[in-house]
Amino acid sequence: MQFHVWNQLAQIQGLAVDPTYQRQGIARALVDKAEAFARVKKARGIYVDTPVSNVKGRSFYEAAGYQCAYIMPRYYEDALDGVTYQKFF
């Protein structure tokens, strides 16, 4: 988790849950903590990047109220684009 003063946005810099423990609300609890951190910092919102191929992750962020902001061509490697999701408070 990081707060950027220059744009008043917080950033989730990685979110992973061991497959053994998925679908137990752990990721949602982590995102809730990240959003609480962002609010304490008086952030305008929060954003996260993920590969476009991360179907489960993208569905998770959309269900959590994040909106697709933009696609970043070749963000992860030559053949893998990234997508940024954002949520404003």
Side-chain angles (χ1 to χ4, degrees):
M1 196 61 229
Q2 184 175 7
F3 174 69
H4 301 287
V5 174
W6 71 274
N7 65 0
Q8 297 295 299
L9 291 173
Q11 178 182 12
I12 297 172
Q13 295 187 341
L15 178 65
V17 176
D18 184 303
T20 306
Y21 300 102
Q22 290 179 356
R23 310 231 17 107
Q24 296 181 25
I26 296 168
R28 183 65 228 192
L30 291 170
V31 169
D32 287 347
K33 291 282 188 184
E35 290 178 5
F37 168 83
R39 285 185 168 93
V40 165
K41 292 291 191 177
K42 307 245 187 280
R44 298 183 304 124
I46 190 167
Y47 71 97
V48 61
D49 304 320
T50 193
V52 294
S53 59
N54 183 3
V55 176
K56 285 184 182 180
R58 294 181 69 177
S59 294
F60 167 78
Y61 288 118
E62 290 170 6
Y66 287 70
Q67 295 181 334
C68 179
Y70 50 89
I71 304 292
M72 300 170 290
R74 300 169 58 180
Y75 183 72
Y76 290 96
E77 56 189 58
D78 282 345
L80 184 56
D81 296 345
V83 58
T84 296
Y85 281 88
Q86 60 190 14
K87 182 177 188 178
F88 289 97
F89 307 132

